[in-house]
Amino acid sequence: VDVAKELGVDIFLYDGDINDVVGRLTQAAVEFDADIPILISGDCPLIWAESMDKLIEKILEDSELDAVDFCLKNGKFVIHEGMSVYRKKCWLLADELSDKPNLREHQFPIIGLKPELFKTDCIHDDDLFYRIKHRVSVDTLADLEFMRAVYQMLVGMKKEFDMPDVVELLLKKPQLMQINK
């Protein structure tokens, strides 16, 4: 907080229940007057900006749309996780409807539980991102070890530590996925 103040950087501090993810996210959107809040999870270091741009473009195309995520393709999820795009009105309604602790401790499960109240859509991402099913968020020590190994290998190959290069590496060296299987 002191460093942010010293540098003149806006910072959001949530003083509510640490398990109230819905409340924290909604309050941040309100405080920063974010008409289209973008959810990027801090435990997902490989956010691919081009994919995020596609989500943003989709919600901007339809003013009635409440939320956009990635579609399944041939029954497969995209490898990257931790990013979605919403409208603030969606978060406000989700906050109001999330009346039990289990509905507040994750990122807006009420939206999926009450589809009649929210207009959602999904888009397909690049085919490359559907080629591998593997964990690329950092929630455990094994996940961190995996990321370090991938990073070191890519640096050694003079490649970027980004989602496309990570997927290409995992296609060539699937044994890396054993680290955090």
Side-chain angles (χ1 to χ4, degrees):
V1 173
D2 292 339
V3 170
K5 286 179 182 175
E6 183 180 313
L7 296 174
V9 175
D10 287 335
I11 187 169
F12 170 76
L13 295 173
Y14 182 68
D15 60 1
D17 180 352
I18 193 168
N19 295 312
D20 186 5
V21 175
V22 169
R24 182 171 57 238
L25 293 171
T26 303
Q27 189 175 335
V30 169
E31 185 169 316
F32 287 101
D33 197 24
D35 290 330
I36 299 177
I38 298 168
L39 180 59
I40 299 176
S41 296
D43 58 358
C44 300
L46 294 169
I47 298 299
W48 186 237
E50 291 178 25
S51 296
M52 179 55 77
D53 287 347
K54 291 176 188 177
L55 292 171
I56 294 167
E57 288 170 14
K58 180 66 178 178
I59 205 164
L60 290 174
E61 289 172 5
D62 182 348
S63 63
E64 298 299 313
L65 201 54
D66 290 314
V68 182
D69 210 335
F70 291 106
C71 303
L72 293 173
K73 185 180 273 187
N74 300 322
K76 295 180 182 178
F77 290 99
V78 291
I79 189 172
H80 50 73
E81 51 189 280
M83 58 180 165
S84 302
V85 176
Y86 303 85
R87 292 203 185 273
K88 182 170 60 178
K89 66 179 181 141
C90 173
W91 280 11
L92 292 169
L93 179 57
D95 182 57
E96 181 183 321
L97 296 173
S98 299
D99 58 355
K100 295 181 180 95
N102 66 316
L103 295 175
R104 300 194 70 79
E105 64 189 10
H106 196 58
Q107 302 157 351
F108 305 103
I110 197 74
I111 295 170
L113 294 171
K114 300 268 187 186
E116 69 278 7
L117 299 177
F118 301 94
K119 183 177 179 187
T120 64
D121 204 352
C122 64
I123 61 168
H124 287 105
D125 206 357
D126 297 334
D127 288 341
L128 175 67
F129 300 134
Y130 291 91
R131 295 189 58 199
I132 290 180
K133 179 182 179 188
H134 192 68
R135 172 178 201 77
V136 292
S137 63
V138 181
D139 296 302
T140 67
L141 184 56
D143 295 337
L144 182 58
E145 291 171 7
F146 165 78
M147 287 294 182
R148 284 181 176 155
V150 167
Y151 174 79
Q152 290 169 351
M153 192 161 284
L154 286 171
V155 167
M157 299 166 61
K158 297 188 181 350
K159 297 273 189 176
E160 294 293 321
F161 182 59
D162 62 22
M163 189 58 83
D165 285 343
V166 167
V167 172
E168 292 292 346
L169 176 65
L170 295 177
L171 288 168
K172 292 176 187 167
K173 300 203 177 281
Q175 66 273 19
L176 285 167
M177 293 184 281
Q178 293 301 312
I179 296 170
N180 67 334
K181 183 176 180 184

